[in-house]
Each structure stands twice: as C-alpha cells, then as structure tokens.
Short mmCIF file of all heavy atoms in Angstrom, two decimals:
data_model
loop_
_atom_site.label_atom_id
_atom_site.label_comp_id
_atom_site.label_asym_id
_atom_site.label_seq_id
_atom_site.Cartn_x
_atom_site.Cartn_y
_atom_site.Cartn_z
N GLN A 1 -2.93 -0.75 3.51
CA GLN A 1 -2.04 -1.90 3.53
C GLN A 1 -1.45 -2.14 4.92
O GLN A 1 -1.53 -1.28 5.79
CB GLN A 1 -0.93 -1.72 2.51
CG GLN A 1 0.02 -0.58 2.80
CD GLN A 1 1.09 -0.47 1.74
OE1 GLN A 1 1.19 -1.28 0.83
NE2 GLN A 1 1.92 0.54 1.85
N PRO A 2 -0.83 -3.31 5.12
CA PRO A 2 -0.14 -3.56 6.39
C PRO A 2 1.18 -2.80 6.44
O PRO A 2 1.43 -1.92 5.60
CB PRO A 2 0.09 -5.08 6.38
CG PRO A 2 -0.67 -5.60 5.21
CD PRO A 2 -0.83 -4.47 4.25
N LEU A 3 2.03 -3.16 7.39
CA LEU A 3 3.35 -2.54 7.53
C LEU A 3 4.43 -3.62 7.46
O LEU A 3 4.17 -4.79 7.73
CB LEU A 3 3.46 -1.80 8.86
CG LEU A 3 2.63 -0.53 9.03
CD1 LEU A 3 2.67 -0.07 10.49
CD2 LEU A 3 3.14 0.58 8.11
N GLY A 4 5.63 -3.19 7.10
CA GLY A 4 6.76 -4.10 7.11
C GLY A 4 6.66 -5.19 6.07
O GLY A 4 6.17 -4.98 4.95
N ILE A 5 7.08 -6.39 6.44
CA ILE A 5 7.12 -7.50 5.49
C ILE A 5 5.73 -7.88 5.02
O ILE A 5 5.55 -8.36 3.90
CB ILE A 5 7.85 -8.71 6.11
CG1 ILE A 5 8.21 -9.72 5.01
CG2 ILE A 5 7.02 -9.35 7.22
CD1 ILE A 5 9.14 -10.82 5.47
N GLU A 6 4.70 -7.64 5.85
CA GLU A 6 3.34 -7.98 5.44
C GLU A 6 2.89 -7.09 4.28
O GLU A 6 2.13 -7.54 3.41
CB GLU A 6 2.38 -7.84 6.62
CG GLU A 6 2.59 -8.91 7.68
CD GLU A 6 1.64 -8.80 8.85
OE1 GLU A 6 1.21 -7.65 9.16
OE2 GLU A 6 1.32 -9.83 9.45
N ALA A 7 3.36 -5.85 4.24
CA ALA A 7 3.03 -4.95 3.13
C ALA A 7 3.64 -5.49 1.83
O ALA A 7 3.02 -5.42 0.76
CB ALA A 7 3.54 -3.55 3.41
N ILE A 8 4.85 -6.03 1.92
CA ILE A 8 5.49 -6.61 0.75
C ILE A 8 4.72 -7.84 0.28
O ILE A 8 4.51 -8.05 -0.92
CB ILE A 8 6.96 -6.98 1.08
CG1 ILE A 8 7.75 -5.72 1.45
CG2 ILE A 8 7.62 -7.69 -0.10
CD1 ILE A 8 9.13 -6.01 2.01
N CYS A 9 4.26 -8.63 1.24
CA CYS A 9 3.56 -9.88 0.90
C CYS A 9 2.22 -9.63 0.20
O CYS A 9 1.80 -10.44 -0.62
CB CYS A 9 3.33 -10.70 2.17
SG CYS A 9 4.84 -11.40 2.88
N VAL A 10 1.54 -8.54 0.53
CA VAL A 10 0.21 -8.31 -0.05
C VAL A 10 0.25 -7.36 -1.24
O VAL A 10 -0.80 -7.06 -1.82
CB VAL A 10 -0.79 -7.76 1.00
CG1 VAL A 10 -0.86 -8.67 2.21
CG2 VAL A 10 -0.44 -6.33 1.41
N TYR A 11 1.43 -6.88 -1.62
CA TYR A 11 1.50 -5.87 -2.68
C TYR A 11 0.79 -6.33 -3.95
O TYR A 11 -0.06 -5.62 -4.49
CB TYR A 11 2.96 -5.52 -3.00
CG TYR A 11 3.09 -4.55 -4.15
CD1 TYR A 11 2.99 -3.17 -3.92
CD2 TYR A 11 3.28 -4.99 -5.45
CE1 TYR A 11 3.08 -2.27 -4.98
CE2 TYR A 11 3.37 -4.10 -6.51
CZ TYR A 11 3.27 -2.74 -6.27
OH TYR A 11 3.35 -1.85 -7.31
N PHE A 12 1.13 -7.52 -4.45
CA PHE A 12 0.53 -7.99 -5.70
C PHE A 12 -0.97 -8.23 -5.52
O PHE A 12 -1.77 -7.91 -6.40
CB PHE A 12 1.21 -9.27 -6.17
CG PHE A 12 0.61 -9.84 -7.43
CD1 PHE A 12 0.84 -9.24 -8.65
CD2 PHE A 12 -0.21 -10.95 -7.37
CE1 PHE A 12 0.26 -9.75 -9.82
CE2 PHE A 12 -0.79 -11.48 -8.52
CZ PHE A 12 -0.55 -10.87 -9.74
N SER A 13 -1.35 -8.79 -4.37
CA SER A 13 -2.78 -9.05 -4.11
C SER A 13 -3.58 -7.76 -4.10
O SER A 13 -4.70 -7.70 -4.61
CB SER A 13 -2.94 -9.78 -2.78
OG SER A 13 -2.31 -11.04 -2.81
N TYR A 14 -3.02 -6.71 -3.50
CA TYR A 14 -3.71 -5.42 -3.45
C TYR A 14 -3.85 -4.83 -4.85
O TYR A 14 -4.89 -4.26 -5.18
CB TYR A 14 -2.96 -4.46 -2.53
CG TYR A 14 -3.57 -4.30 -1.16
CD1 TYR A 14 -4.37 -5.30 -0.62
CD2 TYR A 14 -3.37 -3.16 -0.39
CE1 TYR A 14 -4.93 -5.17 0.63
CE2 TYR A 14 -3.93 -3.02 0.85
CZ TYR A 14 -4.70 -4.03 1.37
OH TYR A 14 -5.26 -3.89 2.61
N ARG A 15 -2.82 -4.95 -5.64
CA ARG A 15 -2.89 -4.42 -7.01
C ARG A 15 -3.95 -5.16 -7.81
O ARG A 15 -4.77 -4.55 -8.52
CB ARG A 15 -1.54 -4.53 -7.70
CG ARG A 15 -1.46 -3.75 -9.01
CD ARG A 15 -0.14 -3.93 -9.71
NE ARG A 15 -0.07 -5.24 -10.35
CZ ARG A 15 1.02 -5.71 -10.97
NH1 ARG A 15 2.13 -4.99 -10.98
NH2 ARG A 15 1.02 -6.89 -11.55
N LEU A 16 -3.96 -6.48 -7.68
CA LEU A 16 -4.95 -7.30 -8.38
C LEU A 16 -6.36 -6.99 -7.88
O LEU A 16 -7.30 -6.86 -8.67
CB LEU A 16 -4.63 -8.78 -8.18
CG LEU A 16 -5.48 -9.78 -8.96
CD1 LEU A 16 -5.31 -9.57 -10.46
CD2 LEU A 16 -5.11 -11.21 -8.58
N LEU A 17 -6.51 -6.85 -6.56
CA LEU A 17 -7.80 -6.52 -5.98
C LEU A 17 -8.29 -5.17 -6.49
O LEU A 17 -9.47 -5.01 -6.85
CB LEU A 17 -7.71 -6.50 -4.46
CG LEU A 17 -8.96 -6.07 -3.69
CD1 LEU A 17 -10.12 -7.02 -3.96
CD2 LEU A 17 -8.67 -5.99 -2.19
N ALA A 18 -7.41 -4.18 -6.53
CA ALA A 18 -7.78 -2.85 -7.01
C ALA A 18 -8.26 -2.91 -8.46
O ALA A 18 -9.25 -2.28 -8.83
CB ALA A 18 -6.60 -1.90 -6.88
N GLU A 19 -7.55 -3.67 -9.29
CA GLU A 19 -7.93 -3.79 -10.70
C GLU A 19 -9.30 -4.46 -10.84
O GLU A 19 -10.12 -4.06 -11.67
CB GLU A 19 -6.86 -4.56 -11.46
CG GLU A 19 -5.54 -3.79 -11.59
CD GLU A 19 -4.41 -4.65 -12.14
OE1 GLU A 19 -4.61 -5.88 -12.28
OE2 GLU A 19 -3.33 -4.09 -12.42
N ARG A 20 -9.54 -5.49 -10.04
CA ARG A 20 -10.81 -6.21 -10.14
C ARG A 20 -11.97 -5.35 -9.63
O ARG A 20 -13.07 -5.37 -10.20
CB ARG A 20 -10.73 -7.51 -9.35
CG ARG A 20 -9.83 -8.54 -10.03
CD ARG A 20 -9.89 -9.89 -9.34
NE ARG A 20 -9.12 -10.88 -10.08
CZ ARG A 20 -8.99 -12.15 -9.71
NH1 ARG A 20 -9.61 -12.57 -8.62
NH2 ARG A 20 -8.29 -12.99 -10.43
N LEU A 21 -11.75 -4.61 -8.55
CA LEU A 21 -12.80 -3.73 -8.04
C LEU A 21 -13.10 -2.61 -9.03
O LEU A 21 -14.25 -2.22 -9.21
CB LEU A 21 -12.39 -3.14 -6.69
CG LEU A 21 -12.35 -4.13 -5.51
CD1 LEU A 21 -11.80 -3.44 -4.26
CD2 LEU A 21 -13.72 -4.72 -5.24
N ALA A 22 -12.05 -2.10 -9.68
CA ALA A 22 -12.26 -1.08 -10.72
C ALA A 22 -13.09 -1.66 -11.86
O ALA A 22 -13.94 -0.98 -12.44
CB ALA A 22 -10.92 -0.55 -11.23
N GLY A 23 -12.86 -2.93 -12.17
CA GLY A 23 -13.64 -3.59 -13.21
C GLY A 23 -15.10 -3.75 -12.84
O GLY A 23 -15.95 -3.93 -13.72
N LEU A 24 -15.39 -3.65 -11.54
CA LEU A 24 -16.78 -3.74 -11.07
C LEU A 24 -17.42 -2.36 -10.90
O LEU A 24 -18.52 -2.25 -10.34
CB LEU A 24 -16.82 -4.50 -9.74
CG LEU A 24 -16.41 -5.98 -9.81
CD1 LEU A 24 -16.31 -6.55 -8.40
CD2 LEU A 24 -17.41 -6.76 -10.64
N GLY A 25 -16.72 -1.32 -11.34
CA GLY A 25 -17.29 0.02 -11.29
C GLY A 25 -16.92 0.86 -10.09
O GLY A 25 -17.58 1.85 -9.79
N LEU A 26 -15.84 0.50 -9.41
CA LEU A 26 -15.42 1.25 -8.23
C LEU A 26 -14.12 1.99 -8.50
O LEU A 26 -13.23 1.49 -9.19
CB LEU A 26 -15.23 0.31 -7.04
CG LEU A 26 -16.48 -0.44 -6.57
CD1 LEU A 26 -16.10 -1.49 -5.54
CD2 LEU A 26 -17.50 0.53 -6.00
N ALA A 27 -14.02 3.18 -7.95
CA ALA A 27 -12.74 3.91 -7.95
C ALA A 27 -11.97 3.42 -6.74
O ALA A 27 -12.48 3.44 -5.62
CB ALA A 27 -12.99 5.41 -7.87
N VAL A 28 -10.73 2.99 -6.93
CA VAL A 28 -9.97 2.36 -5.86
C VAL A 28 -8.63 3.09 -5.69
O VAL A 28 -7.90 3.31 -6.66
CB VAL A 28 -9.70 0.88 -6.15
CG1 VAL A 28 -8.99 0.22 -4.97
CG2 VAL A 28 -11.00 0.15 -6.47
N LEU A 29 -8.34 3.44 -4.44
CA LEU A 29 -7.09 4.14 -4.14
C LEU A 29 -6.25 3.26 -3.21
O LEU A 29 -6.69 2.90 -2.13
CB LEU A 29 -7.36 5.49 -3.47
CG LEU A 29 -6.13 6.33 -3.15
CD1 LEU A 29 -5.40 6.73 -4.42
CD2 LEU A 29 -6.53 7.59 -2.37
N ARG A 30 -5.07 2.88 -3.69
CA ARG A 30 -4.10 2.21 -2.82
C ARG A 30 -2.89 3.13 -2.69
O ARG A 30 -2.54 3.86 -3.62
CB ARG A 30 -3.71 0.83 -3.36
CG ARG A 30 -3.15 0.80 -4.76
CD ARG A 30 -3.01 -0.63 -5.28
NE ARG A 30 -2.48 -0.63 -6.64
CZ ARG A 30 -1.20 -0.79 -6.95
NH1 ARG A 30 -0.31 -0.98 -5.98
NH2 ARG A 30 -0.79 -0.78 -8.20
N PHE A 31 -2.25 3.11 -1.55
CA PHE A 31 -1.24 4.14 -1.27
C PHE A 31 -0.21 3.63 -0.28
O PHE A 31 -0.42 2.62 0.41
CB PHE A 31 -1.93 5.39 -0.70
CG PHE A 31 -2.55 5.17 0.65
CD1 PHE A 31 -1.89 5.53 1.81
CD2 PHE A 31 -3.81 4.58 0.76
CE1 PHE A 31 -2.45 5.29 3.05
CE2 PHE A 31 -4.39 4.34 2.00
CZ PHE A 31 -3.71 4.70 3.15
N ASP A 32 0.90 4.34 -0.21
CA ASP A 32 1.95 4.06 0.78
C ASP A 32 1.84 5.09 1.90
O ASP A 32 1.72 6.29 1.64
CB ASP A 32 3.34 4.15 0.15
CG ASP A 32 3.61 3.03 -0.85
OD1 ASP A 32 3.02 1.95 -0.67
OD2 ASP A 32 4.39 3.25 -1.79
N TYR A 33 1.90 4.64 3.13
CA TYR A 33 1.89 5.56 4.26
C TYR A 33 3.13 6.44 4.22
O TYR A 33 4.17 6.06 3.65
CB TYR A 33 1.89 4.79 5.59
CG TYR A 33 0.77 3.80 5.74
CD1 TYR A 33 1.02 2.43 5.78
CD2 TYR A 33 -0.55 4.23 5.86
CE1 TYR A 33 -0.01 1.52 5.93
CE2 TYR A 33 -1.59 3.32 6.00
CZ TYR A 33 -1.31 1.96 6.03
OH TYR A 33 -2.33 1.06 6.17
N ASP A 34 3.03 7.59 4.83
CA ASP A 34 4.17 8.50 4.95
C ASP A 34 5.39 7.73 5.49
O ASP A 34 5.29 7.00 6.47
CB ASP A 34 3.80 9.63 5.92
CG ASP A 34 4.87 10.69 6.02
OD1 ASP A 34 5.94 10.40 6.59
OD2 ASP A 34 4.65 11.81 5.54
N GLY A 35 6.52 7.89 4.82
CA GLY A 35 7.75 7.26 5.27
C GLY A 35 7.88 5.80 4.90
O GLY A 35 8.83 5.12 5.34
N THR A 36 6.95 5.27 4.10
CA THR A 36 7.03 3.88 3.66
C THR A 36 6.92 3.83 2.14
O THR A 36 6.38 4.75 1.52
CB THR A 36 5.92 3.00 4.27
OG1 THR A 36 4.65 3.36 3.69
CG2 THR A 36 5.85 3.18 5.77
N GLY A 37 7.38 2.73 1.55
CA GLY A 37 7.24 2.55 0.10
C GLY A 37 7.78 3.72 -0.70
O GLY A 37 8.90 4.18 -0.48
N ASP A 38 6.95 4.23 -1.61
CA ASP A 38 7.35 5.34 -2.48
C ASP A 38 6.95 6.71 -1.94
O ASP A 38 7.15 7.72 -2.61
CB ASP A 38 6.74 5.15 -3.87
CG ASP A 38 7.36 3.97 -4.61
OD1 ASP A 38 8.60 3.84 -4.57
OD2 ASP A 38 6.62 3.19 -5.22
N SER A 39 6.37 6.75 -0.75
CA SER A 39 6.01 8.04 -0.14
C SER A 39 7.25 8.69 0.47
O SER A 39 8.21 8.00 0.85
CB SER A 39 4.94 7.86 0.94
OG SER A 39 3.69 7.58 0.35
N SER A 40 7.23 10.00 0.59
CA SER A 40 8.35 10.72 1.18
C SER A 40 8.41 10.47 2.68
O SER A 40 7.45 10.00 3.28
CB SER A 40 8.23 12.21 0.90
OG SER A 40 7.03 12.72 1.48
N GLY A 41 9.54 10.82 3.28
CA GLY A 41 9.73 10.61 4.70
C GLY A 41 10.46 9.32 4.98
O GLY A 41 10.80 8.55 4.07
N ARG A 42 10.72 9.09 6.28
CA ARG A 42 11.44 7.89 6.70
C ARG A 42 10.68 7.23 7.84
O ARG A 42 9.99 7.89 8.61
CB ARG A 42 12.86 8.25 7.16
CG ARG A 42 13.73 8.84 6.08
CD ARG A 42 15.09 9.24 6.65
NE ARG A 42 14.92 10.27 7.68
CZ ARG A 42 15.92 10.75 8.43
NH1 ARG A 42 17.15 10.26 8.26
NH2 ARG A 42 15.71 11.68 9.33
N GLU A 43 10.84 5.91 7.96
CA GLU A 43 10.15 5.19 9.02
C GLU A 43 10.66 5.57 10.41
O GLU A 43 10.00 5.32 11.41
CB GLU A 43 10.31 3.69 8.81
CG GLU A 43 11.74 3.20 8.88
CD GLU A 43 11.92 1.77 8.43
OE1 GLU A 43 11.21 1.35 7.50
OE2 GLU A 43 12.76 1.07 9.01
N THR A 44 11.85 6.18 10.47
CA THR A 44 12.43 6.57 11.74
C THR A 44 12.08 8.01 12.12
O THR A 44 12.53 8.49 13.16
CB THR A 44 13.96 6.40 11.72
OG1 THR A 44 14.49 7.13 10.59
CG2 THR A 44 14.34 4.94 11.59
N ASP A 45 11.31 8.71 11.29
CA ASP A 45 10.88 10.06 11.64
C ASP A 45 9.96 10.01 12.86
O ASP A 45 9.36 8.97 13.15
CB ASP A 45 10.13 10.70 10.46
CG ASP A 45 11.04 11.07 9.31
OD1 ASP A 45 12.26 11.17 9.55
OD2 ASP A 45 10.55 11.25 8.19
N PRO A 46 9.82 11.14 13.57
CA PRO A 46 8.94 11.14 14.76
C PRO A 46 7.46 11.12 14.37
O PRO A 46 7.10 11.34 13.21
CB PRO A 46 9.31 12.46 15.45
CG PRO A 46 9.80 13.34 14.34
CD PRO A 46 10.52 12.41 13.40
N ASP A 47 6.64 10.82 15.37
CA ASP A 47 5.17 10.86 15.23
C ASP A 47 4.67 9.95 14.11
O ASP A 47 3.78 10.30 13.35
CB ASP A 47 4.69 12.30 14.96
CG ASP A 47 5.12 13.26 16.05
OD1 ASP A 47 5.03 12.89 17.23
OD2 ASP A 47 5.54 14.38 15.71
N ARG A 48 5.24 8.74 14.03
CA ARG A 48 4.88 7.84 12.94
C ARG A 48 3.41 7.46 12.96
O ARG A 48 2.75 7.46 11.92
CB ARG A 48 5.74 6.57 12.99
CG ARG A 48 7.17 6.76 12.58
CD ARG A 48 7.31 7.19 11.13
NE ARG A 48 7.15 8.64 10.99
CZ ARG A 48 6.91 9.25 9.85
NH1 ARG A 48 6.77 8.56 8.75
NH2 ARG A 48 6.79 10.55 9.80
#
C-alpha cells in the first residue's frame, strides 16, 4: 500500500481487490508497514 493519506484512500479498493483476486484462485496478502495502521511501532521510530 501507499503511505499517509494515500493509504487511507486506497484501503477499501485494496480490500476489494484482494477479495476479487482470491475469487480468481490467488492467495493475497495485504498488510500494514511497521509503525503504520494496525502494525506495532510508530512512524517516528528510527530507520523507517
């Protein structure tokens, strides 16, 4: 996914895309980068 507000903008599209690709026989992994979304850490941590 993108970062910042762009990640928020594509959230629903990514979920829909993942569901449709799974319907076509693909295993699909969508995730939050370290320190973003529901992943642990903070965006202000070092070595982002």
Side-chain angles (χ1 to χ4, degrees):
Q1 65 180 356
L3 290 170
I5 195 169
E6 290 181 330
I8 298 171
C9 291
V10 305
Y11 176 85
F12 178 74
S13 297
Y14 258 25
R15 192 183 76 184
L16 186 61
L17 176 62
E19 291 171 352
R20 289 187 175 180
L21 290 175
L24 295 172
L26 298 171
V28 184
L29 182 63
R30 56 189 180 96
F31 66 97
D32 292 331
Y33 305 112
D34 185 290
T36 71
D38 291 316
S39 287
S40 61
R42 297 176 299 175
E43 62 191 36
T44 54
D45 288 341
D47 303 318
R48 288 297 84 196

